[in-house]
Amino acid sequence: MGKTILVTGASSGFGRIIARDLALAGHVAYASMRSTRDRNAPAVAEAAAWAGEYGADLRTAELDVQDEASIASAVDAIIADQGRLDVVVHNAGHMTWGPSEAFTPAQLAEVYDINVLGAQRVNRAVLPHMRAAADGLQIWIGSSSVAGGVPPLLGPYFAAKAAMDALAICYAKELAPLGIETSIVVPGAFTTGTNHFAHAGSPADAQTAGQYAAAWPAAFADRIKDALAATVPESADPAAVGRAVVNIVAAPRGERPLRVHVDPASDGAEVSFAVIDRVRAEFLHRIGHADLLHPRAGG
């Protein structure tokens, strides 16, 4: 039976791919985004046209992860329409590019607010329904930067992604006794097929950014970006992230993986996380709570 699924940050990039793939797989997929009546109105129209063309149940929802009222309204509407919300995909995020010092504290707070607090706001709206059902699935779209290669110039974004991963891991343990599952999809760098770099935030402190540019070797930032792109094979396909999410949703309850890596650049995160997650699992055994590694049966 198809599930009712909410995908955040689905106007473009991974979010749009994920929502469409879930709809094609037979689920009711809500592609949520902000500014559906103005800036993202074209994305709403495209989604409706695509749904009609493919006969898929793809819907759009106004949802701003920085606005609790917006989130509550979207979730309430989904529950009113469907009677349930089975899966939430935490995808909304914002990327930055530039020397870390040149980003103001307010800018770092903004990135954290979108990437981390945004997921927390959404959870506070959706989890009461999942807890009442004693069932549900949370899928977090993370980043290989948390445990793999870390190039410069992405500091605020990487810091927020690391915080998001830590939050997801804690949620996994707290929700397992309630019958709610957690999976983290770990994409590597994709330099084509998404708008990450095109929409990346830049430092507000232009003077400091200029001082870095003057002190660095010639074309340092461009060379870093080119070097990063060179690690990604031409065959890299962002659609693999959508397929990974579809496969997680389709997996039997209790057998869904904690992590799925989609990293064509192979930056080492898969190796590092294998060790990190095993250490964490062993610690749960040590304190007598290995039961938290899997969701409670039933639901």
Side-chain angles (χ1 to χ4, degrees):
M1 187 175 88
K3 297 185 181 299
T4 300
I5 304 175
L6 170 63
V7 183
T8 66
S11 65
S12 62
F14 289 147
R16 178 170 62 182
I17 292 169
I18 291 167
R20 293 186 179 190
D21 281 357
L22 288 168
L24 283 176
H27 305 291
V28 180
Y30 285 84
S32 73
M33 62 196 78
R34 60 184 177 178
S35 305
T36 54
R37 291 180 178 84
D38 40 75
R39 182 168 61 86
N40 280 323
V44 172
E46 288 173 12
W50 180 92
E53 179 181 355
Y54 288 93
D57 202 342
L58 175 69
R59 311 181 185 197
T60 53
E62 172 72 32
L63 189 156
D64 181 350
V65 298
Q66 295 181 279
D67 186 332
E68 290 184 13
S70 170
I71 295 166
S73 177
V75 172
D76 287 348
I78 293 171
I79 296 298
D81 287 344
Q82 304 297 321
R84 70 186 202 274
L85 179 53
D86 304 305
V87 183
V88 61
V89 181
H90 292 297
N91 170 76
H94 181 56
M95 188 174 177
T96 59
W97 178 258
S100 297
E101 184 190 347
F103 288 92
T104 65
Q107 284 188 291
L108 263 71
E110 176 83 358
V111 175
Y112 189 91
D113 190 74
I114 295 171
N115 289 273
V116 186
L117 301 187
Q120 176 69 355
R121 293 187 188 98
V122 171
N123 266 353
R124 284 177 56 81
V126 305
L127 280 175
H129 301 286
M130 291 184 174
R131 287 190 285 106
D135 196 5
L137 170 62
Q138 299 227 327
I139 300 177
W140 302 70
I141 308 302
S143 171
S144 65
S145 65
V146 176
V150 181
L153 300 173
L154 290 155
Y157 174 68
F158 284 167
K161 279 297 187 181
M164 180 184 179
D165 193 272
L167 186 63
I169 288 295
C170 287
Y171 261 120
K173 299 177 178 69
E174 295 167 6
L175 295 176
L178 308 180
I180 301 169
E181 293 183 271
T182 297
S183 287
I184 305 170
V185 177
V186 187
F190 284 90
T191 52
T192 59
T194 71
N195 295 320
H196 286 161
F197 281 96
H199 293 168
S202 56
D205 184 352
Q207 180 178 0
T208 298
Q211 290 169 351
Y212 270 85
W216 278 331
F220 177 76
D222 289 339
R223 285 160 48 197
I224 291 294
K225 189 178 291 186
D226 291 344
L228 182 60
T231 67
V232 183
E234 292 184 5
S235 60
D237 183 6
V241 175
R243 292 193 293 270
V245 172
V246 169
N247 290 339
I248 290 169
V249 174
R253 190 174 187 277
E255 298 181 19
R256 294 180 172 112
L258 175 64
R259 290 191 194 275
V260 174
H261 293 266
V262 187
D263 181 16
S266 300
D267 75 355
E270 190 164 4
V271 176
S272 300
F273 269 130
V275 176
I276 293 168
D277 290 334
R278 180 173 178 178
V279 168
R280 290 169 172 168
E282 289 298 328
F283 184 77
L284 288 179
H285 281 277
R286 178 182 171 189
I287 64 174
H289 281 286
D291 56 303
L292 300 184
L293 293 171
H294 303 284
R296 188 188 70 193

